[in-house]
Amino acid sequence: MKLLLLLLAFCCLSLSRCEEKNVPYDYSATIECLGNPNKPQYNGGIIVNPDLQNGSQGWSQMGNTKVDFTEFGGNKFVIARGRNQSYDSVSQKVYLEKGLLYTFSAWLQVSKGNSPVRAVFKKNGKYKHAGSVIAESKCWSMLKGGLTVDESGPADLYFESEDTTAEIWVDSVSWQPFTQEEWSSHHKQSIDITRKGAVRIRAVNSAGEPVPNATISILQNRLGFPFGCSAGSNILGNQAFQDWFTKRFTVTVFENEMKWYSTEVVRGKEDYSTADAMVRLFKQHGIAIRGHHIILDDPKYQPSWVTALNGPDLYNAVKRRVDSVVSRYKGQLASWDVVNENLHFSFFENAMGPKVSYNVFEQAHAVDPTTTMFMNEFNTLEQPGDAVSSPARYLQKLRELQSIRVPGNIPLGIGLESHFFNTPNIPYMRSALDTLGATGLPIWLTEVDVAAPPNVQANYFEQVLREGHAHPKVTGMVTWSGYNPRGCFRMCLTDGNFRNLPTGDVVDKLLREWGGLRGKTTGLTDADGYFEASLFHGDYDLSIAHPLTNCTASHSFKLTSDDYHPSPTVVRV
């Protein structure tokens, strides 16, 4: 009977979706802990009784716990008490359909302290994590997540926490499905607002009179959205690789050449010659560089001599490293990855105490005060089951760094490595970006690649790049990597003859869509001499040809996000 009711509910949902096309996506997320929860997004979507106004309707207990439906201060919610297992909580039956993309949100609280709480969907004995949040006592925290499913059928939604001594309070639950067409429409809507601008050109003659039917040609010279690729030392002296690279990308990051284990193999003998040569090369081509990295917290990737140090000796070595690399490239880089992968690893904290990252950020900023200092971490977007680097954990660490007291504050950035494995959970990726985007800090996808079978790798890669580019809070993307004769980490974009691989074809396809690769827009002025177009942000050359004479005129311009309602550009021909 429950399955029948779920199927009936799904049929009603399908009919309503036919009547209402393209449900807009809600990019909002709340990262503050509130006295009362907000209303459920999408009015709860397909959740029954999402705001608990109807008591227990639609809800039941999960595991061996006592479930109380209660009210406080006019707000109704449910509490799971007397928990003995992590999964003891409140539950609701839902029906999942293959091919839909689901976004999830809920407001959670625990009875004491603070504890991570996860949203889980159990289906056919398998468990899928939709997201997590660090819930607090005495206030409500928003969990935002998402899920894709590989087969249709009923599932149990429930919440879990390893802290079984804490009660779990739940309110304002939402589970909203989207078709692939709706999801793509969100991309277009966001791109039209955040990545494109209107251009209005008027052609006039020497007397200031409009020139109708003038031929307009607009050539994009440079993409406004920072899009790049990592590079290694093999690009030096390789003209074919340089030509392939500089044709496509406006930003890069060095794969190993700026890392400590590359620049100081022997203690006290620094060698920046390779990194210096790469900096000169990319500056010559106007390609921005991300500084990667000052130090790395993974014990496996330290200079061999560093692992033997301790106490003041290690402290002085770290301090010298920060001063050395940051002062050398001060003012030349777009950003710094400061303490890389600081959520997953703690080599320096274990040896020097919990304030290491705090001190390194402070020291790096003191040396290079105008460059943005990034946290850079993996699995924050990629794996909802990785509690170590969840958006909530990322925010927790970020708040520690924001507490550093220096004049003017440290300009911080959010770096998300984006090393995806097999099928990307695109709804979760979007929700994680929503959550981190609520900080207002710049967000970069810093090392994008996908480990997947060859027949699907390029498709998955394209999904990730499209999602990142379309998200209104993402300010740049870098892929990993272009070409390496010794083999790329997970994927290359081109072979040794610089013929694109399928992943490289994805890059070129998207660049053409985004106006890159010197994309051209053409047309004719109207009866009043006007020509209008919606173009991606970037640097452009404009050419206008008079329809009756051989006269031509040219003009260069830059289109940015500030040009929301531009005045017409008047050109005499």
Side-chain angles (χ1 to χ4, degrees):
M1 177 60 73
K2 287 185 177 180
L3 177 57
L4 177 60
L5 290 173
L6 284 169
L7 288 170
L8 286 172
F10 175 72
C11 290
C12 293
L13 170 69
S14 298
L15 288 172
S16 66
R17 295 182 71 79
C18 290
E19 296 169 3
E20 182 184 357
K21 295 182 179 180
N22 296 340
V23 176
Y25 181 81
D26 187 346
Y27 287 95
S28 67
T30 301
I31 57 176
E32 297 81 19
C33 200
L34 304 182
N36 286 300
N38 290 341
K39 296 294 183 183
Q41 292 188 323
Y42 311 102
N43 294 317
I46 60 174
I47 292 292
V48 176
N49 189 21
D51 54 6
L52 286 302
Q53 292 300 304
N54 296 320
S56 63
Q57 180 186 358
W59 296 96
S60 60
Q61 72 180 50
M62 181 72 175
N64 184 23
T65 186
K66 181 182 178 184
V67 174
D68 289 338
F69 297 87
T70 187
E71 180 177 353
F72 180 78
N75 180 48
K76 295 182 179 180
F77 52 97
V78 60
I79 301 177
R81 307 181 190 273
R83 302 172 55 249
N84 297 302
Q85 302 292 333
S86 63
Y87 55 79
D88 288 344
S89 69
V90 63
S91 174
Q92 183 166 140
K93 293 279 187 184
V94 296
Y95 189 88
L96 306 180
E97 185 190 6
K98 181 180 179 179
L100 295 183
L101 300 97
Y102 293 89
T103 186
F104 178 81
S105 64
W107 287 78
L108 300 164
Q109 187 173 161
V110 290
S111 56
K112 62 175 186 176
N114 59 75
S115 300
V117 179
R118 295 180 291 273
V120 183
F121 287 82
K122 179 183 178 183
K123 186 177 184 298
N124 296 334
K126 297 180 180 179
Y127 302 86
K128 286 183 173 286
H129 292 173
S132 65
V133 72
I134 300 175
E136 301 181 35
S137 60
K138 301 181 181 178
C139 60
W140 293 90
S141 299
M142 184 185 187
L143 183 160
K144 193 168 189 183
L147 201 65
T148 54
V149 294
D150 48 20
E151 61 177 346
S152 301
D156 293 299
L157 159 67
Y158 68 95
F159 302 89
E160 68 176 18
S161 173
E162 300 299 329
D163 184 1
T164 56
T165 66
E167 301 170 353
I168 299 177
W169 300 14
V170 181
D171 199 0
S172 293
V173 184
S174 175
W175 182 238
Q176 176 65 40
F178 294 100
T179 65
Q180 185 60 60
E181 291 73 22
E182 287 175 309
W183 203 261
S184 297
S185 75
H186 304 153
H187 289 169
K188 184 180 185 308
Q189 292 160 9
S190 177
I191 286 170
D192 285 346
I193 295 171
T194 61
R195 305 284 181 236
K196 300 178 81 173
V199 172
R200 196 172 188 226
I201 297 159
R202 193 180 198 201
V204 298
N205 60 22
S206 58
E209 299 167 337
V211 178
N213 296 317
T215 300
I216 302 291
S217 177
I218 305 174
L219 178 69
Q220 186 181 56
N221 288 318
R222 186 178 179 88
L223 194 66
F225 179 81
F227 182 57
C229 182
S230 68
S233 60
N234 59 303
I235 200 170
L236 296 172
N238 189 331
Q239 190 62 50
F241 190 9
Q242 292 173 23
D243 292 344
W244 179 90
F245 194 102
T246 57
K247 176 183 177 182
R248 290 164 173 81
F249 303 115
T250 60
V251 63
T252 191
V253 63
F254 302 169
E255 290 165 6
N256 293 295
E257 290 73 12
M258 207 174 278
K259 295 175 181 176
W260 197 1
Y261 61 67
S262 296
T263 62
E264 195 175 1
V265 177
V266 177
R267 187 178 187 182
K269 295 183 178 180
E270 294 180 326
D271 182 1
Y272 287 100
S273 58
T274 302
D276 287 349
M278 292 178 70
V279 168
R280 286 193 298 271
L281 170 68
F282 289 111
K283 286 176 70 175
Q284 174 188 342
H285 290 280
I287 293 174
I289 303 166
R290 299 193 70 255
H292 181 75
H293 40 66
I294 298 176
I295 61 171
L296 169 64
D297 236 349
D298 188 341
K300 292 189 299 183
Y301 297 106
Q302 304 299 330
S304 58
W305 56 271
V306 167
T307 57
L309 304 180
N310 53 56
D313 212 15
L314 180 59
Y315 171 85
N316 289 330
V318 171
K319 187 175 186 299
R320 187 171 61 251
R321 160 63 180 176
V322 177
D323 282 337
S324 173
V325 70
V326 179
S327 62
R328 188 177 195 89
Y329 300 112
K330 173 184 177 181
Q332 300 183 68
L333 306 181
S335 59
W336 282 107
D337 293 333
V338 181
V339 185
N340 213 51
E341 299 175 355
N342 190 211
L343 296 178
H344 281 95
F345 305 108
S346 55
F347 171 77
F348 292 102
E349 284 81 1
N350 293 341
M352 300 166 60
K355 288 287 189 179
V356 172
S357 58
Y358 184 106
N359 294 335
V360 173
F361 269 85
E362 185 176 22
Q363 182 186 349
H365 171 68
V367 176
D368 191 1
T370 61
T371 301
T372 304
M373 303 288 164
F374 274 70
M375 282 183 61
N376 193 45
E377 194 56 69
F378 64 91
N379 280 356
T380 305
L381 296 185
E382 304 97 305
Q383 296 290 343
D386 189 344
V388 172
S389 59
S390 68
R393 288 294 190 196
Y394 198 110
L395 288 172
Q396 194 176 50
K397 184 66 180 181
L398 194 62
R399 290 183 181 112
E400 290 180 24
L401 300 177
Q402 288 175 318
S403 71
I404 299 174
R405 296 298 174 216
V406 295
N409 294 323
I410 298 177
L412 296 173
I414 294 172
L416 305 167
E417 292 184 12
S418 308
H419 293 296
F420 287 84
F421 184 78
N422 283 331
T423 310
N425 185 342
I426 294 298
Y428 178 77
M429 175 185 175
R430 185 183 288 186
S431 70
L433 290 171
D434 295 344
T435 299
L436 296 170
T439 63
L441 297 177
I443 297 177
W444 280 62
L445 311 191
T446 57
E447 305 176 21
V448 183
D449 63 12
V450 178
N455 63 318
V456 293
Q457 184 181 50
N459 179 42
Y460 292 164
F461 183 51
E462 181 176 344
Q463 290 179 26
V464 172
L465 291 180
R466 285 191 182 278
E467 195 62 45
H469 177 259
H471 198 282
K473 299 298 184 180
V474 172
T475 51
M477 296 192 301
V478 179
T479 66
W480 197 284
S481 55
Y483 168 69
N484 191 314
R486 297 183 300 276
C488 298
F489 174 55
R490 282 181 166 175
M491 58 175 232
C492 291
L493 300 180
T494 181
D495 64 17
N497 294 313
F498 302 100
R499 294 175 300 203
N500 276 357
L501 299 171
T503 48
D505 286 339
V506 166
V507 167
D508 284 1
K509 172 185 174 181
L510 295 179
L511 282 172
R512 290 188 182 97
E513 283 188 25
W514 302 340
L517 297 177
R518 295 179 65 80
K520 182 179 288 188
T521 300
T522 59
L524 299 174
T525 56
D526 63 18
D528 295 317
Y530 286 105
F531 175 81
E532 297 184 13
S534 177
L535 302 177
F536 282 92
H537 299 153
D539 297 348
Y540 290 89
D541 284 338
L542 164 67
S543 175
I544 304 179
H546 196 288
L548 302 177
T549 70
N550 292 324
C551 294
T552 61
S554 60
H555 177 73
S556 297
F557 65 94
K558 180 188 289 287
L559 183 64
T560 71
S561 57
D562 295 330
D563 301 316
Y564 192 67
H565 294 295
S567 301
T569 299
V570 179
V571 181
R572 295 183 184 275
V573 290

PDB file of all heavy atoms in Angstrom, residues 16-25 176 178-186 189:
ATOM      1  N   SER A  16       1.825  17.543 -12.550  1.00  0.00           N
ATOM      2  CA  SER A  16       2.009  18.957 -12.193  1.00  0.00           C
ATOM      3  C   SER A  16       3.242  19.528 -12.889  1.00  0.00           C
ATOM      4  O   SER A  16       3.279  20.684 -13.263  1.00  0.00           O
ATOM      5  CB  SER A  16       2.153  19.110 -10.671  1.00  0.00           C
ATOM      6  OG  SER A  16       3.333  18.491 -10.213  1.00  0.00           O
ATOM      7  N   ARG A  17       4.266  18.681 -13.098  1.00  0.00           N
ATOM      8  CA  ARG A  17       5.472  19.151 -13.772  1.00  0.00           C
ATOM      9  C   ARG A  17       5.198  19.439 -15.235  1.00  0.00           C
ATOM     10  O   ARG A  17       5.817  20.295 -15.841  1.00  0.00           O
ATOM     11  CB  ARG A  17       6.584  18.120 -13.633  1.00  0.00           C
ATOM     12  CG  ARG A  17       7.040  17.908 -12.216  1.00  0.00           C
ATOM     13  CD  ARG A  17       8.170  16.919 -12.169  1.00  0.00           C
ATOM     14  NE  ARG A  17       9.361  17.507 -12.727  1.00  0.00           N
ATOM     15  CZ  ARG A  17      10.160  18.354 -12.084  1.00  0.00           C
ATOM     16  NH1 ARG A  17       9.868  18.718 -10.869  1.00  0.00           N
ATOM     17  NH2 ARG A  17      11.226  18.847 -12.655  1.00  0.00           N
ATOM     18  N   CYS A  18       4.246  18.682 -15.815  1.00  0.00           N
ATOM     19  CA  CYS A  18       3.884  18.959 -17.208  1.00  0.00           C
ATOM     20  C   CYS A  18       3.194  20.309 -17.327  1.00  0.00           C
ATOM     21  O   CYS A  18       3.307  20.996 -18.337  1.00  0.00           O
ATOM     22  CB  CYS A  18       2.964  17.861 -17.739  1.00  0.00           C
ATOM     23  SG  CYS A  18       3.826  16.272 -17.956  1.00  0.00           S
ATOM     24  N   GLU A  19       2.465  20.680 -16.255  1.00  0.00           N
ATOM     25  CA  GLU A  19       1.737  21.948 -16.288  1.00  0.00           C
ATOM     26  C   GLU A  19       2.666  23.123 -15.997  1.00  0.00           C
ATOM     27  O   GLU A  19       2.486  24.220 -16.496  1.00  0.00           O
ATOM     28  CB  GLU A  19       0.606  21.918 -15.255  1.00  0.00           C
ATOM     29  CG  GLU A  19      -0.458  20.855 -15.571  1.00  0.00           C
ATOM     30  CD  GLU A  19      -1.418  20.645 -14.415  1.00  0.00           C
ATOM     31  OE1 GLU A  19      -1.276  21.376 -13.408  1.00  0.00           O
ATOM     32  OE2 GLU A  19      -2.280  19.769 -14.500  1.00  0.00           O
ATOM     33  N   GLU A  20       3.694  22.910 -15.157  1.00  0.00           N
ATOM     34  CA  GLU A  20       4.608  23.997 -14.779  1.00  0.00           C
ATOM     35  C   GLU A  20       6.009  23.654 -15.265  1.00  0.00           C
ATOM     36  O   GLU A  20       6.698  22.819 -14.690  1.00  0.00           O
ATOM     37  CB  GLU A  20       4.626  24.175 -13.261  1.00  0.00           C
ATOM     38  CG  GLU A  20       5.511  25.326 -12.810  1.00  0.00           C
ATOM     39  CD  GLU A  20       5.593  25.433 -11.303  1.00  0.00           C
ATOM     40  OE1 GLU A  20       4.936  24.663 -10.613  1.00  0.00           O
ATOM     41  OE2 GLU A  20       6.329  26.307 -10.836  1.00  0.00           O
ATOM     42  N   LYS A  21       6.434  24.266 -16.351  1.00  0.00           N
ATOM     43  CA  LYS A  21       7.721  23.960 -16.934  1.00  0.00           C
ATOM     44  C   LYS A  21       8.821  24.792 -16.286  1.00  0.00           C
ATOM     45  O   LYS A  21       8.608  25.899 -15.844  1.00  0.00           O
ATOM     46  CB  LYS A  21       7.682  24.217 -18.438  1.00  0.00           C
ATOM     47  CG  LYS A  21       6.730  23.282 -19.190  1.00  0.00           C
ATOM     48  CD  LYS A  21       6.777  23.555 -20.684  1.00  0.00           C
ATOM     49  CE  LYS A  21       5.852  22.610 -21.435  1.00  0.00           C
ATOM     50  NZ  LYS A  21       5.874  22.859 -22.892  1.00  0.00           N
ATOM     51  N   ASN A  22      10.014  24.187 -16.261  1.00  0.00           N
ATOM     52  CA  ASN A  22      11.216  24.899 -15.835  1.00  0.00           C
ATOM     53  C   ASN A  22      11.060  25.546 -14.458  1.00  0.00           C
ATOM     54  O   ASN A  22      11.027  26.771 -14.326  1.00  0.00           O
ATOM     55  CB  ASN A  22      11.609  25.948 -16.872  1.00  0.00           C
ATOM     56  CG  ASN A  22      11.997  25.319 -18.196  1.00  0.00           C
ATOM     57  OD1 ASN A  22      12.337  24.144 -18.264  1.00  0.00           O
ATOM     58  ND2 ASN A  22      11.933  26.110 -19.256  1.00  0.00           N
ATOM     59  N   VAL A  23      10.960  24.705 -13.434  1.00  0.00           N
ATOM     60  CA  VAL A  23      10.935  25.207 -12.058  1.00  0.00           C
ATOM     61  C   VAL A  23      12.252  25.915 -11.780  1.00  0.00           C
ATOM     62  O   VAL A  23      13.324  25.335 -11.970  1.00  0.00           O
ATOM     63  CB  VAL A  23      10.733  24.055 -11.060  1.00  0.00           C
ATOM     64  CG1 VAL A  23      10.799  24.567  -9.630  1.00  0.00           C
ATOM     65  CG2 VAL A  23       9.419  23.336 -11.321  1.00  0.00           C
ATOM     66  N   PRO A  24      12.246  27.173 -11.360  1.00  0.00           N
ATOM     67  CA  PRO A  24      13.503  27.886 -11.103  1.00  0.00           C
ATOM     68  C   PRO A  24      14.275  27.240  -9.964  1.00  0.00           C
ATOM     69  O   PRO A  24      13.690  26.642  -9.055  1.00  0.00           O
ATOM     70  CB  PRO A  24      13.039  29.296 -10.726  1.00  0.00           C
ATOM     71  CG  PRO A  24      11.636  29.403 -11.207  1.00  0.00           C
ATOM     72  CD  PRO A  24      11.066  28.022 -11.144  1.00  0.00           C
ATOM     73  N   TYR A  25      15.581  27.366 -10.005  1.00  0.00           N
ATOM     74  CA  TYR A  25      16.417  26.833  -8.936  1.00  0.00           C
ATOM     75  C   TYR A  25      16.673  27.914  -7.891  1.00  0.00           C
ATOM     76  O   TYR A  25      16.899  29.075  -8.228  1.00  0.00           O
ATOM     77  CB  TYR A  25      17.753  26.341  -9.495  1.00  0.00           C
ATOM     78  CG  TYR A  25      18.655  25.762  -8.438  1.00  0.00           C
ATOM     79  CD1 TYR A  25      18.471  24.457  -7.994  1.00  0.00           C
ATOM     80  CD2 TYR A  25      19.660  26.518  -7.864  1.00  0.00           C
ATOM     81  CE1 TYR A  25      19.282  23.912  -7.014  1.00  0.00           C
ATOM     82  CE2 TYR A  25      20.487  25.987  -6.880  1.00  0.00           C
ATOM     83  CZ  TYR A  25      20.288  24.687  -6.457  1.00  0.00           C
ATOM     84  OH  TYR A  25      21.089  24.163  -5.475  1.00  0.00           O
ATOM     85  N   GLN A 176      13.371  18.395  -3.817  1.00  0.00           N
ATOM     86  CA  GLN A 176      12.825  18.900  -5.076  1.00  0.00           C
ATOM     87  C   GLN A 176      13.485  18.229  -6.273  1.00  0.00           C
ATOM     88  O   GLN A 176      14.695  18.309  -6.455  1.00  0.00           O
ATOM     89  CB  GLN A 176      13.021  20.415  -5.173  1.00  0.00           C
ATOM     90  CG  GLN A 176      12.567  21.031  -6.485  1.00  0.00           C
ATOM     91  CD  GLN A 176      11.061  20.919  -6.715  1.00  0.00           C
ATOM     92  OE1 GLN A 176      10.290  21.080  -5.774  1.00  0.00           O
ATOM     93  NE2 GLN A 176      10.665  20.633  -7.932  1.00  0.00           N
ATOM     94  N   PHE A 178      14.268  17.779 -10.375  1.00  0.00           N
ATOM     95  CA  PHE A 178      14.348  18.560 -11.609  1.00  0.00           C
ATOM     96  C   PHE A 178      14.644  17.619 -12.762  1.00  0.00           C
ATOM     97  O   PHE A 178      15.432  16.675 -12.610  1.00  0.00           O
ATOM     98  CB  PHE A 178      15.459  19.613 -11.539  1.00  0.00           C
ATOM     99  CG  PHE A 178      15.234  20.698 -10.528  1.00  0.00           C
ATOM    100  CD1 PHE A 178      15.858  20.655  -9.296  1.00  0.00           C
ATOM    101  CD2 PHE A 178      14.404  21.770 -10.815  1.00  0.00           C
ATOM    102  CE1 PHE A 178      15.665  21.662  -8.367  1.00  0.00           C
ATOM    103  CE2 PHE A 178      14.205  22.781  -9.888  1.00  0.00           C
ATOM    104  CZ  PHE A 178      14.830  22.730  -8.656  1.00  0.00           C
ATOM    105  N   THR A 179      14.065  17.904 -13.917  1.00  0.00           N
ATOM    106  CA  THR A 179      14.454  17.189 -15.119  1.00  0.00           C
ATOM    107  C   THR A 179      15.784  17.736 -15.615  1.00  0.00           C
ATOM    108  O   THR A 179      16.217  18.831 -15.218  1.00  0.00           O
ATOM    109  CB  THR A 179      13.404  17.354 -16.224  1.00  0.00           C
ATOM    110  OG1 THR A 179      13.357  18.744 -16.615  1.00  0.00           O
ATOM    111  CG2 THR A 179      12.021  16.905 -15.761  1.00  0.00           C
ATOM    112  N   GLN A 180      16.419  16.989 -16.520  1.00  0.00           N
ATOM    113  CA  GLN A 180      17.668  17.467 -17.091  1.00  0.00           C
ATOM    114  C   GLN A 180      17.450  18.756 -17.872  1.00  0.00           C
ATOM    115  O   GLN A 180      18.299  19.655 -17.875  1.00  0.00           O
ATOM    116  CB  GLN A 180      18.270  16.401 -18.010  1.00  0.00           C
ATOM    117  CG  GLN A 180      19.641  16.769 -18.546  1.00  0.00           C
ATOM    118  CD  GLN A 180      20.666  16.987 -17.447  1.00  0.00           C
ATOM    119  OE1 GLN A 180      20.943  16.077 -16.672  1.00  0.00           O
ATOM    120  NE2 GLN A 180      21.238  18.179 -17.374  1.00  0.00           N
ATOM    121  N   GLU A 181      16.283  18.863 -18.506  1.00  0.00           N
ATOM    122  CA  GLU A 181      15.971  20.089 -19.254  1.00  0.00           C
ATOM    123  C   GLU A 181      15.857  21.288 -18.314  1.00  0.00           C
ATOM    124  O   GLU A 181      16.338  22.386 -18.622  1.00  0.00           O
ATOM    125  CB  GLU A 181      14.664  19.913 -20.037  1.00  0.00           C
ATOM    126  CG  GLU A 181      14.747  18.930 -21.197  1.00  0.00           C
ATOM    127  CD  GLU A 181      14.828  17.472 -20.752  1.00  0.00           C
ATOM    128  OE1 GLU A 181      14.414  17.174 -19.594  1.00  0.00           O
ATOM    129  OE2 GLU A 181      15.308  16.638 -21.532  1.00  0.00           O
ATOM    130  N   GLU A 182      15.216  21.089 -17.176  1.00  0.00           N
ATOM    131  CA  GLU A 182      15.115  22.174 -16.191  1.00  0.00           C
ATOM    132  C   GLU A 182      16.498  22.559 -15.685  1.00  0.00           C
ATOM    133  O   GLU A 182      16.823  23.743 -15.548  1.00  0.00           O
ATOM    134  CB  GLU A 182      14.225  21.748 -15.031  1.00  0.00           C
ATOM    135  CG  GLU A 182      12.748  21.699 -15.357  1.00  0.00           C
ATOM    136  CD  GLU A 182      11.942  21.151 -14.198  1.00  0.00           C
ATOM    137  OE1 GLU A 182      12.289  20.077 -13.677  1.00  0.00           O
ATOM    138  OE2 GLU A 182      10.955  21.802 -13.812  1.00  0.00           O
ATOM    139  N   TRP A 183      17.307  21.536 -15.395  1.00  0.00           N
ATOM    140  CA  TRP A 183      18.654  21.795 -14.868  1.00  0.00           C
ATOM    141  C   TRP A 183      19.467  22.620 -15.864  1.00  0.00           C
ATOM    142  O   TRP A 183      20.160  23.569 -15.492  1.00  0.00           O
ATOM    143  CB  TRP A 183      19.348  20.469 -14.570  1.00  0.00           C
ATOM    144  CG  TRP A 183      20.449  20.571 -13.565  1.00  0.00           C
ATOM    145  CD1 TRP A 183      21.773  20.659 -13.826  1.00  0.00           C
ATOM    146  CD2 TRP A 183      20.309  20.594 -12.140  1.00  0.00           C
ATOM    147  NE1 TRP A 183      22.484  20.737 -12.652  1.00  0.00           N
ATOM    148  CE2 TRP A 183      21.607  20.694 -11.605  1.00  0.00           C
ATOM    149  CE3 TRP A 183      19.222  20.538 -11.274  1.00  0.00           C
ATOM    150  CZ2 TRP A 183      21.850  20.728 -10.233  1.00  0.00           C
ATOM    151  CZ3 TRP A 183      19.467  20.576  -9.910  1.00  0.00           C
ATOM    152  CH2 TRP A 183      20.759  20.670  -9.397  1.00  0.00           C
ATOM    153  N   SER A 184      19.366  22.261 -17.139  1.00  0.00           N
ATOM    154  CA  SER A 184      20.084  23.016 -18.168  1.00  0.00           C
ATOM    155  C   SER A 184      19.529  24.432 -18.301  1.00  0.00           C
ATOM    156  O   SER A 184      20.286  25.373 -18.583  1.00  0.00           O
ATOM    157  CB  SER A 184      19.978  22.282 -19.509  1.00  0.00           C
ATOM    158  OG  SER A 184      20.604  21.014 -19.436  1.00  0.00           O
ATOM    159  N   SER A 185      18.218  24.581 -18.103  1.00  0.00           N
ATOM    160  CA  SER A 185      17.638  25.923 -18.181  1.00  0.00           C
ATOM    161  C   SER A 185      18.170  26.810 -17.056  1.00  0.00           C
ATOM    162  O   SER A 185      18.319  28.020 -17.228  1.00  0.00           O
ATOM    163  CB  SER A 185      16.106  25.853 -18.123  1.00  0.00           C
ATOM    164  OG  SER A 185      15.627  25.588 -16.810  1.00  0.00           O
ATOM    165  N   HIS A 186      18.478  26.198 -15.904  1.00  0.00           N
ATOM    166  CA  HIS A 186      19.082  26.975 -14.808  1.00  0.00           C
ATOM    167  C   HIS A 186      20.445  27.516 -15.250  1.00  0.00           C
ATOM    168  O   HIS A 186      20.814  28.643 -14.932  1.00  0.00           O
ATOM    169  CB  HIS A 186      19.261  26.119 -13.560  1.00  0.00           C
ATOM    170  CG  HIS A 186      18.007  25.469 -13.067  1.00  0.00           C
ATOM    171  ND1 HIS A 186      18.015  24.295 -12.351  1.00  0.00           N
ATOM    172  CD2 HIS A 186      16.699  25.824 -13.196  1.00  0.00           C
ATOM    173  CE1 HIS A 186      16.775  23.956 -12.060  1.00  0.00           C
ATOM    174  NE2 HIS A 186      15.963  24.867 -12.554  1.00  0.00           N
ATOM    175  N   GLN A 189      19.839  30.501 -17.550  1.00  0.00           N
ATOM    176  CA  GLN A 189      19.356  31.664 -16.805  1.00  0.00           C
ATOM    177  C   GLN A 189      20.484  32.319 -16.022  1.00  0.00           C
ATOM    178  O   GLN A 189      20.629  33.548 -16.018  1.00  0.00           O
ATOM    179  CB  GLN A 189      18.219  31.248 -15.865  1.00  0.00           C
ATOM    180  CG  GLN A 189      16.940  30.830 -16.576  1.00  0.00           C
ATOM    181  CD  GLN A 189      16.033  29.981 -15.706  1.00  0.00           C
ATOM    182  OE1 GLN A 189      16.265  29.817 -14.509  1.00  0.00           O
ATOM    183  NE2 GLN A 189      14.999  29.418 -16.307  1.00  0.00           N
TER     184      GLN A 189
END
